[in-house]
Amino acid sequence: MDLKGRLVAGSHNRNEFVLINADEIGRVTSVKELSGQICQICGDEIEITVDGEPFVACNECAFPICRPCYEYERREGNQACPQCKTRYKRIKGSPRVEGDEEEEEFDDLDHEFDFGAIDPRDPQQIAEAVLAARLNTGRGPHAGLITSPKMESSSLNPDIPLLTYGQEDTGISADKHALIIPPFMGRGKRVHPVPFTDSSMSLPPRPMDPKKDLAVYGYGTVAWKDRMEEWRKRQNDKLQVVRHEGDGGSNEGDEPDDPDLPKMDEGRQPLSRKLPISSSRINPYRMIILLRMVILGLFFHYRILHPVNDAYGLWLTSIICEIWFAVSWIFDQFPKWLPIERETYLDRLSLRYEKDGKPSELAAIDVFVSTVDPMKEPPLITANTVLSILAVDYPIDKVACYVSDDGAAMLTFEALSETSEFARKWVPFCKKFNIEPRAPEWYFAQKVDYLKDKVHPTFVRERRAMKRDYEEFKVRINGLVAMAQKVPEEGWTMQDGTPWPGNNVRDHPGMIQVFLGHNGVRDIEGNELPRLIYVSREKRPGFEHHKKAGAMNALVRVSAVISNAPYMLNVDCDHYINNSKALREAMCFMMDPTSGKKICYVQFPQRFDGIDRHDRYSNRNVVFFDINMKGLDGIQGPIYVGTGCVFRRQALYGYDAPVKKKAPGKTCNCLPKWCCCCCRSRKKSKKGKSKENKKKTKSREASTQIHALENIEEGIEGIDSEKTSLMPQIKFEKKFGQSPVFIASTLLDDGGVPPGATSASLLKEAIHVISCGYEDKSEWGKEVGWIYGSVTEDILTGFKMHCHGWRSVYCMPKRPAFKGSAPINLSDRLHQVLRWALGSVEIFLSRHCPIWYGYGCGLKPLERFSYINSVVYPLTSIPLIAYCTLPAVCLLTGKFIVPEISNYASIVFMALFISIAATSIIEMQWGGVTIDDWWRNEQFWVIGGVSSHLFALFQGLLKVLAGVSTNFTVTSKGGDDGEFSELYLFKWTSLLIPPMTLLIINIIGVIVGVSDAINNGYESWGPLFGKLFFALWVIVHLYPFLKGIMGKQDGVPTIIVVWSILLASIFSLLWVRINPFLSKGGIVLEVCGLDCD
């Protein structure tokens, strides 16, 4: 797409397109002014030939006419130029008509009678024909010729060979006939007539007489012998063993599952494999889980049958909380029943898809980077993410990076402009010396020996020069940030004086800028660079834009128009590629010929930089990523976590996963008819099931019945059968929107756009698909793309894919694939958890709740357990707060939730604690998690549960039931006041009040309880032990709070301390028995024994 480096802004609804350059600005009212020549007959754009020149029909006057009109004029018209009346000469690739001169230089015998014979069963060819018709960019002789939508391919028997055309031989019985079906034998209407007989007339089948010479049918001729020689040569190439070093490519044939291939060929081996957890670890783990279930049953049997009569309210509250904790544990535990690990083989991927001397056959990938506010998401971090993408170890022509600026900030635009210039130096440096990571900020910040394994003599000199260039780059970016702090009253203006189109964040046109990838932009060594495209979707008042999910869907559409890669990677602006081979790791799963077809996405774990060694606030979330996700990978795959995920584009379009077809059952006609009577009922049931299957695959079958898309706009005059042929297209528009080019791109399973597509045509569609009203009356956000309805669109999107029968894969390479920035302080961390929990509450209260949605589809039961756990966990906040309050109540009132413990009860309680500890220890072993990470996770589970989860629950109820919407805060991505300087800095937030209150209450309870025991003597210490253990359990889990308070008293807002002490005091005053200096029975008077009289 050659826009010559200009920013394109426009609105499809207003029919406005603006091209802004540093030295010129042009406003056009129609895209045709940006394009090439226009056909003077039909008004379409004239295509570009293979040589890069416009198509010329008449060599005398060069009258502008497109190829479809040229073909039609020669076939049905007067065969002469409309302007100079000169007879049209036959152009190579065009079918011969009567009157053509015999000119050897234009003879094309191979395509003599090829009238666009497109396989009706191949969606790739159909979609290419549709794109060619829409964009007027044909491929050779097929240009402008559209297939019929109702080609009766189902009537053909694939087991009967198709030979040549001829007459029927009555000497052969009908069951030995070989059917001969010419192309375009359907009953639909054609856009342009072709010189064939009426399609409604069926050709008689042609037999093959065994007595005749095979040469009569084409066998045994010179052409047939040549074909046989080529086939033998291909077979010999397949059977050659691939050398691992040297020429090293594996000659892959057309059939990946060819049984004749030798097993020793490493290029033919699977690209990945499962590594189950060793039985010595997983079997005891499962036994302990079952044993823990039994112990839980005994525990609740004792607790329910032994109430505490003098503290019935406390006992009942504790029982309800414990039952909820047990249910939550079941939903969390059983999805970890089948944990697995995976291993990839990158060398086999290269052997299979990267052969020496041939272009790379690796699939193309579109990378999406999303950002909103450059003040909260620093442009320098976004620039490092983009640079790591551009320098990734993947074929350059297969990578396109799209940056979504949902805030339409000129700061982001200017930062990307600077990034594209620096990338011309950074990308060749990374690939020359193979450095890791390829984000310059973190590469130069590494405290390692950068000379290790670097033997290139110029490495040190070039590294120093590159570091100086990067420091200058940082100065320019920071200068832009400083300049953007104060916005001018009239708004921002560009270098040529043009007002920035995004000055009004809520009312601006769509904007597209191709920074890299257009003609003439190369790196300093003259090599091509991956595409870098800036996208800011149109926003207007009165439209719902759906925040990040809407921005991602806009990127899906605009990328489908511009590059249309079959796979997509989405990362947050602060998640850079830490492993340059991350895309290859994902392709080992996606492009595996045996198991890759059913994979909807490959999820990578999140790893973080800038976290203190102790990870005080559990930012790493290691337990989830190293234990829970491995367990899900053994069922149907991990859930989607919002970043670091490679998608299959077709899965995001809402299609069902491919179903493996079963081999046809064997039938026997040797049994008498009465034997088959008992089978009729079975056949009927099978028919019923087949009807259901037809309904499920209706959307997939419709893709092979699409009609010429331009007819939707132009209209067709004909009979009702033509209108019925348009029904599939209307359904496509209801699903994908009103862009014919985008709809055609959805049919290309392997991606790609026509090579002759002009920038003007793509520009019109790209602006169209990012317009604010494009998604109206379509299924975007409902069944297609990122799903709307929750601020955590990631869980909902992955859930819908799994419901369609797809499976996902969890990839954990030894070197982390991606690394990001975590919130610095506790307040930002709690706000982040608040947003996640709020999204889960929204899903729980929506129709997509996994408790009642998606039954009868492809979702497995244990996978459903995981999704249920991911949406109900905020509900745990209420029983958790109640349970954390019980110790203080027990210490202040002298009551307890458990009666006097018997020996049996002691055994049950000890067994429960031991089973909990054993389960956690074995999980840490097979998950590779340290006890420190596990303990931090337990602590923050309590902190987040009594704060963020509680607020999210109430906010979700207000939003769904009362319509009161709350905006989440974008967490800060970095600090600049020194390493870990803001670790214990508490910013004001109401989220800090509940845990602070619980901490103070329990501390007061401990003091009161110990004082009471000291006053009452030795016998009161026994009952006090259980209460103290209970209270200390809460205090230890809230220890990060206490450490923060003690570490930096000046960092705690006074309002938090005041509110916490006030609430604790009010609660403490409710204790009517506070008097630790007097015994509970009052003052005891005894006779001293002295006679006072």
Side-chain angles (χ1 to χ4, degrees):
M1 186 170 170
D2 185 11
L3 301 177
K4 298 180 180 179
R6 293 178 289 184
L7 170 67
V8 180
S11 174
H12 175 77
N13 298 331
R14 303 183 182 185
N15 196 26
E16 292 181 353
F17 296 89
V18 182
L19 278 79
I20 303 172
N21 201 8
D23 55 353
E24 63 172 328
I25 172 173
R27 179 177 295 276
V28 294
T29 58
S30 174
V31 188
K32 294 178 181 179
E33 299 181 24
L34 301 176
S35 61
Q37 290 183 319
I38 303 300
C39 176
Q40 298 301 312
I41 295 179
C42 65
D44 288 337
E45 184 180 347
I46 296 178
E47 69 172 29
I48 304 299
T49 62
V50 180
D51 300 329
E53 300 293 333
F55 174 77
V56 178
C58 179
N59 294 327
E60 300 295 331
C61 64
F63 181 71
I65 179 175
C66 64
R67 185 156 193 156
C69 293
Y70 162 78
E71 301 279 4
Y72 183 81
E73 189 69 25
R74 277 173 43 83
R75 190 165 55 246
E76 303 293 338
N78 54 14
Q79 304 179 359
C81 174
Q83 178 169 295
C84 65
K85 307 303 180 183
T86 305
R87 177 182 172 82
Y88 280 132
K89 293 185 179 181
R90 176 173 173 267
I91 298 176
K92 184 176 181 180
S94 299
R96 191 183 302 277
V97 298
E98 185 178 356
D100 283 345
E101 300 177 358
E102 295 293 337
E103 299 177 85
E104 293 183 359
E105 64 270 22
F106 294 107
D107 284 344
D108 189 9
L109 300 179
D110 293 337
H111 300 87
E112 178 83 23
F113 300 102
D114 189 354
F115 297 97
I118 301 176
D119 187 0
R121 294 165 293 184
D122 188 359
Q124 179 86 9
Q125 297 187 25
I126 293 176
E128 288 181 358
V130 170
L131 281 172
R134 178 63 182 171
L135 299 176
N136 300 294
T137 55
R139 293 188 178 185
H142 301 303
L145 192 58
I146 308 302
T147 63
S148 173
K150 290 188 176 181
M151 300 175 182
E152 297 185 352
S153 59
S154 60
S155 62
L156 305 181
N157 188 343
D159 297 330
I160 300 178
L162 303 180
L163 303 177
T164 55
Y165 306 112
Q167 301 297 328
E168 180 179 3
D169 191 342
T170 57
I172 297 179
S173 60
D175 58 343
K176 296 183 179 180
H177 286 171
L179 299 180
I180 316 301
I181 304 297
F184 288 109
M185 284 296 101
R187 289 192 174 89
K189 299 297 181 180
R190 303 181 181 87
V191 179
H192 304 290
V194 292
F196 279 150
T197 58
D198 187 8
S199 60
S200 62
M201 299 173 58
S202 60
L203 285 182
R206 180 191 176 185
M208 186 173 70
D209 190 352
K211 297 180 181 179
K212 294 183 179 180
D213 187 7
L214 291 177
V216 177
Y217 301 99
Y219 296 101
T221 60
V222 176
W224 177 256
K225 291 180 180 179
D226 292 341
R227 290 179 60 190
M228 289 299 297
E229 290 297 330
E230 292 180 2
W231 180 83
R232 291 193 183 97
K233 184 177 179 181
R234 288 199 303 268
Q235 293 298 316
N236 291 333
D237 292 342
K238 289 181 181 179
L239 294 176
Q240 290 179 356
V241 179
V242 178
R243 291 181 297 176
H244 299 282
E245 299 173 356
D247 52 349
S250 76
N251 298 319
E252 180 177 354
D254 298 332
E255 268 60 355
D257 298 327
D258 195 336
D260 297 333
L261 294 176
K263 298 297 182 183
M264 67 193 73
D265 185 352
E266 188 173 354
R268 299 288 174 176
Q269 296 297 318
L271 303 180
S272 64
R273 68 165 180 164
K274 296 180 182 179
L275 298 176
I277 306 298
S278 62
S279 58
S280 62
R281 292 182 177 180
I282 198 63
N283 289 338
Y285 176 66
R286 293 170 180 166
M287 292 175 61
I288 292 177
I289 291 175
L290 297 178
L291 182 62
R292 185 172 170 181
M293 292 285 293
V294 175
I295 295 173
L296 272 176
L298 297 175
F299 172 79
F300 285 116
H301 178 268
Y302 174 81
R303 293 281 284 121
I304 294 174
L305 295 182
H306 294 77
V308 182
N309 296 323
D310 58 344
Y312 192 82
L314 297 178
W315 170 83
L316 183 61
T317 302
S318 65
I319 287 293
I320 295 175
C321 295
E322 289 165 358
I323 291 176
W324 178 259
F325 295 152
V327 173
S328 300
W329 171 77
I330 290 174
F331 282 125
D332 178 69
Q333 186 65 65
F334 278 92
K336 295 181 282 189
W337 187 262
L338 299 168
I340 62 170
E341 295 178 348
R342 295 182 184 270
E343 184 180 27
T344 57
Y345 301 100
L346 299 180
D347 52 345
R348 295 179 183 176
L349 182 74
S350 298
L351 289 174
R352 184 183 289 269
Y353 295 109
E354 293 181 304
K355 305 178 180 68
D356 289 344
K358 297 182 180 180
S360 174
E361 297 178 6
L362 290 173
I365 301 177
D366 291 335
V367 186
F368 300 158
V369 181
S370 58
T371 182
V372 180
D373 188 352
M375 293 301 166
K376 295 180 179 178
E377 299 167 327
L380 186 61
I381 293 181
T382 304
N384 273 271
T385 300
V386 171
L387 289 170
S388 69
I389 294 170
L390 298 178
V392 71
D393 184 9
Y394 208 74
I396 291 176
D397 58 328
K398 305 287 186 178
V399 178
C401 178
Y402 295 82
V403 180
S404 170
D405 179 16
D406 218 30
M410 189 174 178
L411 174 57
T412 303
F413 178 83
E414 293 292 342
L416 275 184
S417 178
E418 293 288 347
T419 304
S420 63
E421 285 297 320
F422 180 71
R424 299 178 62 243
K425 304 176 182 178
W426 175 252
V427 173
F429 171 76
C430 293
K431 297 193 174 184
K432 180 178 181 180
F433 299 109
N434 195 26
I435 65 170
E436 295 283 1
R438 299 189 177 181
E441 181 69 23
W442 284 272
Y443 171 70
F444 291 119
Q446 288 183 117
K447 297 179 181 179
V448 295
D449 182 12
Y450 63 86
L451 295 178
K452 184 178 180 181
D453 301 329
K454 297 294 187 299
V455 295
H456 203 284
T458 62
F459 173 70
V460 176
R461 182 176 67 254
E462 294 192 26
R463 185 184 185 277
R464 290 174 179 172
M466 184 57 61
K467 190 172 183 179
R468 286 194 299 270
D469 292 338
Y470 178 65
E471 293 298 330
E472 296 174 359
F473 169 73
K474 288 176 64 176
V475 170
R476 292 194 297 270
I477 295 294
N478 292 331
L480 293 174
V481 175
M483 187 186 303
Q485 298 292 332
K486 186 177 181 181
V487 182
E489 294 182 358
E490 65 278 6
W492 297 108
T493 56
M494 305 187 72
Q495 294 180 358
D496 58 351
T498 307
W500 171 246
N503 278 326
N504 189 343
V505 178
R506 299 180 180 179
D507 187 4
H508 64 83
M511 293 177 282
I512 298 176
Q513 167 79 53
V514 182
F515 285 108
L516 298 176
H518 53 276
N519 296 336
V521 179
R522 297 176 178 267
D523 61 24
I524 57 176
E525 296 182 358
N527 301 318
E528 293 184 358
L529 289 167
R531 290 182 177 181
L532 175 60
I533 302 170
Y534 169 88
V535 178
S536 181
R537 56 180 174 147
E538 181 184 13
K539 286 190 176 181
R540 302 295 180 189
F543 288 89
E544 180 61 48
H545 301 294
H546 301 289
K547 298 180 181 178
K548 180 181 176 181
M552 297 306 298
N553 284 337
L555 286 183
V556 171
R557 295 191 295 270
V558 75
S559 65
V561 172
I562 296 177
S563 54
N564 195 32
Y567 303 103
M568 301 174 291
L569 164 67
N570 91 287
V571 293
D572 289 342
C573 65
D574 61 318
H575 273 71
Y576 65 92
I577 298 181
N578 183 64
N579 185 348
S580 62
K581 298 185 182 296
L583 300 185
R584 294 178 178 268
E585 296 275 356
M587 290 300 104
C588 285
F589 300 104
M590 289 294 195
M591 300 187 69
D592 194 297
T594 56
S595 60
K597 296 295 183 182
K598 293 196 67 175
I599 297 176
C600 58
Y601 61 82
V602 177
Q603 178 65 61
F604 292 88
Q606 292 186 20
R607 304 297 187 216
F608 299 98
D609 287 318
I611 300 177
D612 64 308
R613 183 170 56 89
H614 300 289
D615 191 13
R616 191 66 62 192
Y617 304 133
S618 188
N619 280 295
R620 294 191 180 96
N621 210 357
V622 178
V623 173
F624 174 77
F625 285 110
D626 289 9
I627 295 180
N628 293 66
M629 297 288 266
K630 287 181 181 179
L632 291 176
D633 199 15
I635 306 172
Q636 197 176 348
I639 63 176
Y640 168 45
V641 297
T643 183
C645 187
V646 177
F647 287 96
R648 184 183 300 275
R649 188 180 286 268
Q650 292 296 316
L652 268 177
Y653 287 160
Y655 290 125
D656 291 335
V659 180
K660 186 176 182 180
K661 296 182 179 180
K662 296 182 180 180
K666 297 181 179 180
T667 59
C668 179
N669 56 4
C670 59
L671 297 176
K673 292 183 179 180
W674 60 267
C675 253
C676 301
C677 294
C678 59
C679 301
R680 291 180 181 176
S681 59
R682 295 182 181 178
K683 292 181 179 179
K684 290 181 180 179
S685 63
K686 289 182 179 179
K687 289 182 180 179
K689 291 181 179 179
S690 64
K691 289 181 181 179
E692 295 179 0
N693 293 334
K694 287 181 180 179
K695 291 181 181 179
K696 290 182 180 179
T697 58
K698 193 173 182 181
S699 60
R700 298 295 290 178
E701 292 175 354
S703 63
T704 60
Q705 299 176 352
I706 187 168
H707 197 270
L709 297 180
E710 73 274 11
N711 293 340
I712 297 295
E713 299 175 352
E714 299 174 1
I716 299 180
E717 297 180 0
I719 58 176
D720 292 339
S721 62
E722 293 181 348
K723 295 180 181 180
T724 58
S725 68
L726 292 177
M727 285 302 295
Q729 169 58 20
I730 295 175
K731 292 180 180 179
F732 268 75
E733 289 188 345
K734 289 182 178 179
K735 183 173 184 178
F736 295 115
Q738 299 292 324
S739 172
V741 174
F742 174 76
I743 293 176
S745 70
T746 64
L747 304 178
L748 301 173
D749 290 339
D750 297 329
V753 294
T758 62
S759 60
S761 300
L762 294 179
L763 171 63
K764 176 182 177 181
E765 295 301 324
I767 293 296
H768 181 195
V769 297
I770 63 173
S771 60
C772 54
Y774 180 83
E775 296 180 353
D776 293 347
K777 298 181 180 180
S778 70
E779 294 187 4
W780 282 100
K782 302 173 184 175
E783 298 293 333
V784 180
W786 270 258
I787 307 301
Y788 303 149
S790 171
V791 295
T792 53
E793 69 289 331
D794 44 10
I795 296 178
L796 206 51
T797 303
F799 174 63
K800 293 284 285 188
M801 292 188 199
H802 284 140
C803 286
H804 281 286
W806 296 92
R807 73 153 294 126
S808 54
V809 166
Y810 194 52
C811 181
M812 294 182 63
K814 294 182 179 180
R815 180 180 179 86
F818 304 92
K819 280 191 175 183
S821 301
I824 297 298
N825 55 69
L826 180 60
S827 302
D828 288 339
R829 171 70 167 144
L830 289 177
H831 273 289
Q832 183 187 58
V833 176
L834 171 66
R835 183 175 69 88
W836 296 343
L838 177 59
S840 296
V841 174
E842 291 174 342
I843 298 174
F844 175 73
L845 299 175
S846 70
R847 72 181 186 93
H848 290 116
C849 179
I851 298 177
W852 50 73
Y853 181 85
Y855 288 94
C857 62
L859 190 66
K860 295 184 178 180
L862 288 181
E863 192 79 12
R864 182 181 300 277
F865 270 36
S866 173
Y867 277 110
I868 291 175
N869 182 57
S870 66
V871 300
V872 302
Y873 75 89
L875 302 180
T876 309
S877 59
I878 294 179
L880 184 59
I881 288 180
Y883 212 67
C884 290
T885 309
L886 286 177
V889 176
C890 293
L891 287 168
L892 294 174
T893 60
K895 308 294 184 181
F896 198 42
I897 60 176
V898 179
E900 292 185 4
I901 300 178
S902 61
N903 294 333
Y904 170 76
S906 301
I907 295 175
V908 171
F909 287 178
M910 290 179 62
L912 181 60
F913 291 141
I914 293 174
S915 65
I916 293 174
T919 305
S920 302
I921 290 173
I922 299 179
E923 280 184 353
M924 287 187 285
Q925 285 183 347
W926 61 254
V929 177
T930 63
I931 190 171
D932 189 57
D933 290 327
W934 176 84
W935 176 238
R936 297 305 179 201
N937 182 78
E938 291 294 315
Q939 285 181 315
F940 200 80
W941 176 76
V942 176
I943 296 173
V946 299
S947 57
S948 299
H949 298 174
L950 179 66
F951 280 74
L953 182 59
F954 288 113
Q955 287 184 9
L957 290 174
L958 289 174
K959 183 175 182 180
V960 175
L961 301 180
V964 179
S965 180
T966 55
N967 295 323
F968 68 87
T969 304
V970 179
T971 53
S972 61
K973 303 299 184 182
D976 52 1
D977 296 329
E979 190 177 16
F980 314 138
S981 61
E982 296 183 4
L983 178 61
Y984 299 113
L985 175 61
F986 281 15
K987 298 180 181 178
W988 158 245
T989 173
S990 56
L991 297 176
L992 300 176
I993 294 177
M996 185 79 69
T997 303
L998 288 174
L999 189 61
I1000 294 176
I1001 287 175
N1002 281 275
I1003 291 176
I1004 292 176
V1006 170
I1007 296 174
V1008 170
V1010 172
S1011 302
D1012 212 11
I1014 293 174
N1015 183 66
N1016 290 333
Y1018 176 78
E1019 294 181 355
S1020 61
W1021 284 100
L1024 180 65
F1025 177 77
K1027 303 173 188 178
L1028 285 178
F1029 177 80
F1030 205 6
L1032 290 176
W1033 178 87
V1034 176
I1035 295 174
V1036 169
H1037 277 79
L1038 296 175
Y1039 173 73
F1041 252 31
L1042 183 61
K1043 187 175 178 63
I1045 295 173
M1046 301 303 294
K1048 285 195 174 184
Q1049 294 87 346
D1050 57 341
V1052 183
T1054 307
I1055 188 66
I1056 294 180
V1057 179
V1058 171
W1059 271 101
S1060 300
I1061 295 177
L1062 179 62
L1063 291 176
S1065 301
I1066 293 174
F1067 185 81
S1068 300
L1069 289 176
L1070 297 178
W1071 177 38
V1072 296
R1073 300 186 60 184
I1074 295 182
N1075 195 353
F1077 302 102
L1078 296 177
S1079 63
K1080 296 181 179 180
I1083 300 176
V1084 180
L1085 299 179
E1086 296 181 356
V1087 180
C1088 64
L1090 297 176
D1091 188 3
C1092 297
D1093 297 334

